[in-house]
Amino acid sequence: MITLEQLSFSNSFGRLPEAFHGRLQPTPLDGAHLASFNAAAAALIDLDPGEAGRAKFVDCLNGRHPLPGADPIAMLYAGHQFGHYVEQLGDGRAIILGEVLNRRGERWELQLKGAGPTPYSRRGDGRAVLRSTIREYLCSEAMHGLGIPTTRALCMLGSAEEVYREQIETGALLLRMAPSHVRFGSFEVFFYRGEHERLRELADYVIEHHYPDLWQREDRYPAFYREVVARTARLVAQWQQVGFAHGVLNTDNMSILGLTLDYGPFGFLDDYQPGFICNHSDHHGRYAFDRQPDIGLWNVSCLAQALLPLLDPEPEAAVELARAGFDLYQEEFRSAYDQGMAAKLGLPEAQPGDDALAQGWLDLLASSRADYSNSFRALGEFAADPGHTALRHDLVDRAAFDAWARDYRQRLARDGMAGDERRARMMGINPRYILRNYLAEQAIRTAQAGDYREIDRLLALLQRPFDEQPEMAAYAAPPPDWGRRLEVSCSS
């Protein structure tokens, strides 16, 4: 294990020309202090967790004592926001310190979120507030615990600095980690500017560093596009399976590596509502839960357009390659979703007709407004003991449930899997604990009063979401009435 000063920085993205980024130093927060530290993320960069106890730790991350080898930059990108192209966005409140290479040769970019104004802040203050920082810190680790590709979070700092959003709040700082923070919008900005050589330069950088198996291929750009499409489709399928709504699926929030990126007004389903809208700023439901697969495809089409100059010199051939990517997205999504839902139902392999069985179960949950996560968890008990009846009483249309359960029993019988084995498999894929909005809100409220212990409690809980953890059973409960009325916006 190493100290902060011993981190081995590489900074490959910073070696790209100035057209891709702006250099600057973080602006320290007033009264910064450590709010929470994630030892699991520290292990990814071989950082000694004891470093969090050093007085200098906060000053190094807050910009008062620059880390040796760091080369702070803010990335340039553009993007489609709510379907409309915005020609220049960029890291308005995020600063990449550089890449750290761990002992295994893996690259992790360290990014400070809320570190002050950048060349892309668009007259903003470049700060993040405590509530949004807590939400991202917890949710990125919750997603990792669920096995979903995501950015990670090393730590978060609180502060005494006042930041104005809809009201006066306190500023905070998140240290976010990912192999790369390049996004779809990073390519769009150069396509729409007509800077196709920059487009090629960026594609070459991403392929060389993050898709090295494609580097020697003559068709490396089409192959790169197909790989991003497939990763994106599989990611969205995982969101749908676990009941996660991102809230702001703009192209500037889509990772080129297929990671869950930029946690804003996200929400996990409590009651199963297919049209759930987690972002109260999304007045037309563009990013509703059940529209995420289509939005993923729409975003892939935006990336395809940005990559057209690289896909093929002949415009018609490039368009055909792009369209083939759309077909690939739909195939990859359907395959990943069907197999994932079959697993959630305790079925080892998806077979013809299983999609109808899964949809029938979802229809039952929707008509009863049943809790999504808890109902799947309870189904594991039913699958192990088909005579189990407690689940039936949670559903409104019991006759419909009886008919569905008959078909389900017959499907289970065809596999011949022992009930205990099936239950164990289902408990390993259907989480007991998710980051419900009301749980995050409770952590936010206590933190705003100066008590950060609930953040650490939730962090530990969500890193083991499939374990029963009897002492934490209350955290699996559906939200109380006040927790059902929470509204979350893009404001941060």
Side-chain angles (χ1 to χ4, degrees):
M1 291 297 186
I2 60 177
T3 67
L4 275 175
E5 291 84 357
Q6 292 172 325
L7 291 174
S8 176
F9 281 98
S10 172
N11 304 329
S12 63
F13 194 87
R15 290 194 292 273
L16 289 172
E18 293 182 0
F20 293 91
H21 49 67
R23 277 187 165 76
L24 72 165
Q25 292 297 322
T27 304
L29 277 166
D30 294 335
H33 51 270
L34 184 65
S36 185
F37 179 83
N38 181 8
L44 297 173
I45 53 173
D46 309 320
L47 182 66
D48 185 343
E51 286 291 284
R54 288 177 54 194
K56 197 174 180 181
F57 181 81
V58 170
D59 284 343
C60 285
L61 298 186
N62 193 33
R64 295 195 184 279
H65 295 298
L67 290 170
D71 181 20
I73 59 171
M75 282 186 173
L76 168 69
Y77 49 84
H80 280 83
Q81 298 196 323
F82 287 87
H84 302 285
Y85 182 68
V86 181
E87 63 185 15
Q88 181 171 301
L89 296 166
D91 289 330
R93 58 193 175 97
I95 298 174
I96 293 172
L97 296 178
E99 290 170 298
V100 169
L101 293 177
N102 65 18
R103 288 175 297 186
R104 295 173 297 282
E106 298 165 339
R107 298 172 181 270
W108 288 94
E109 278 185 351
L110 304 189
Q111 185 186 72
L112 299 176
K113 195 168 182 179
T118 78
Y120 315 116
S121 293
R122 293 174 293 170
R123 299 185 299 279
D125 58 19
R127 294 303 191 193
V129 297
L130 184 63
R131 60 182 163 84
S132 64
T133 303
I134 290 172
R135 285 173 58 81
E136 176 158 359
Y137 179 70
L138 290 174
C139 197
S140 60
E141 290 305 297
M143 294 292 269
H144 176 70
L146 291 166
I148 298 175
T150 179
T151 56
R152 303 293 299 276
L154 176 67
C155 65
M156 58 171 290
L157 308 183
S159 81
E161 186 168 322
E162 291 186 343
V163 177
Y164 180 76
R165 294 300 182 259
E166 285 91 353
Q167 57 188 3
I168 297 293
E169 302 184 51
T170 54
L173 189 70
L174 179 77
L175 198 157
R176 184 163 76 177
M177 301 167 52
S180 174
H181 291 86
V182 174
R183 48 202 77 208
F184 288 14
S186 304
F187 291 85
E188 288 184 286
V189 66
F190 295 114
F191 170 77
Y192 283 98
R193 289 181 177 181
E195 298 178 12
H196 296 171
E197 280 308 307
R198 295 297 188 202
L199 193 64
R200 186 181 304 275
E201 204 168 356
L202 180 59
D204 285 346
Y205 167 82
V206 173
I207 294 169
E208 179 183 1
H209 289 89
H210 303 291
Y211 294 89
D213 291 346
L214 308 180
W215 182 247
Q216 298 298 330
R217 292 180 54 160
E218 290 185 7
D219 67 338
R220 66 173 178 265
Y221 301 126
F224 163 61
Y225 165 62
R226 289 193 298 270
E227 181 61 26
V228 176
V229 167
R231 290 191 187 191
T232 302
R234 293 192 292 265
L235 175 68
V236 177
Q238 287 183 283
W239 292 347
Q240 301 307 111
Q241 291 156 22
V242 81
F244 174 77
H246 185 283
V248 194
L249 285 179
N250 298 327
T251 57
D252 54 292
N253 293 337
M254 299 294 292
S255 162
I256 205 67
L257 301 184
L259 308 175
T260 311
L261 175 71
D262 286 343
Y263 293 87
F266 66 83
F268 285 88
L269 294 175
D270 292 313
D271 299 347
Y272 181 62
Q273 304 174 53
F276 171 60
I277 302 170
C278 62
N279 178 0
H280 86 83
S281 302
D282 186 5
H283 304 298
H284 301 291
R286 176 180 176 83
Y287 298 136
F289 173 73
D290 60 357
R291 296 191 67 183
Q292 290 186 141
D294 290 339
I295 291 298
L297 177 58
W298 194 90
N299 287 341
V300 162
S301 74
C302 291
L303 177 64
Q305 183 174 38
L307 293 178
L308 282 177
L310 304 183
L311 294 180
D312 196 282
E314 295 296 328
E316 290 185 4
V319 169
E320 285 304 310
L321 287 170
R323 287 175 177 164
F326 308 160
D327 293 338
L328 176 64
Y329 176 93
Q330 293 171 310
E331 292 166 5
E332 289 283 341
F333 174 82
R334 179 48 58 187
S335 175
Y337 181 78
D338 286 349
Q339 188 57 49
M341 292 303 288
K344 286 176 73 67
L345 292 174
L347 307 174
E349 290 290 337
Q351 296 181 7
D354 288 348
D355 55 344
L357 188 69
Q359 189 57 53
W361 172 242
L362 294 178
D363 290 343
L364 284 170
L365 299 187
S367 63
S368 298
R369 297 182 71 91
D371 188 88
Y372 184 77
S373 297
N374 287 344
S375 295
F376 267 104
R377 190 79 174 183
L379 195 61
E381 302 291 352
F382 176 90
D385 177 13
H388 180 73
T389 58
L391 182 59
R392 181 177 187 269
H393 296 290
D394 293 334
L395 301 173
V396 172
D397 192 342
R398 292 172 184 170
F401 172 75
D402 290 341
W404 180 85
R406 218 168 22 248
D407 294 338
Y408 184 45
R409 288 189 188 98
Q410 292 173 0
R411 176 65 181 87
L412 297 181
R414 292 209 306 270
D415 285 329
M417 186 186 296
D420 289 346
E421 181 185 353
R422 194 184 307 276
R423 179 187 181 278
R425 288 192 180 198
M426 293 179 72
M427 296 308 173
I429 195 170
N430 293 310
R432 177 76 164 129
Y433 303 100
I434 54 171
L435 183 59
R436 299 176 186 269
N437 266 342
Y438 86 93
L439 295 177
E441 182 63 22
Q442 288 176 162
I444 290 167
R445 292 179 182 181
T446 57
Q448 288 173 333
D451 183 353
Y452 300 116
R453 289 176 296 179
E454 187 64 13
I455 299 173
D456 290 335
R457 189 174 296 114
L458 279 174
L459 185 70
L461 174 76
L462 296 167
Q463 288 172 335
R464 297 164 47 213
F466 303 105
D467 296 349
E468 280 294 336
Q469 305 183 57
E471 72 283 4
M472 303 295 284
Y475 286 76
D481 287 343
W482 66 266
R484 297 179 184 276
R485 298 189 297 271
L486 293 171
E487 292 188 338
V488 186
S489 73
C490 296
S491 172
S492 53

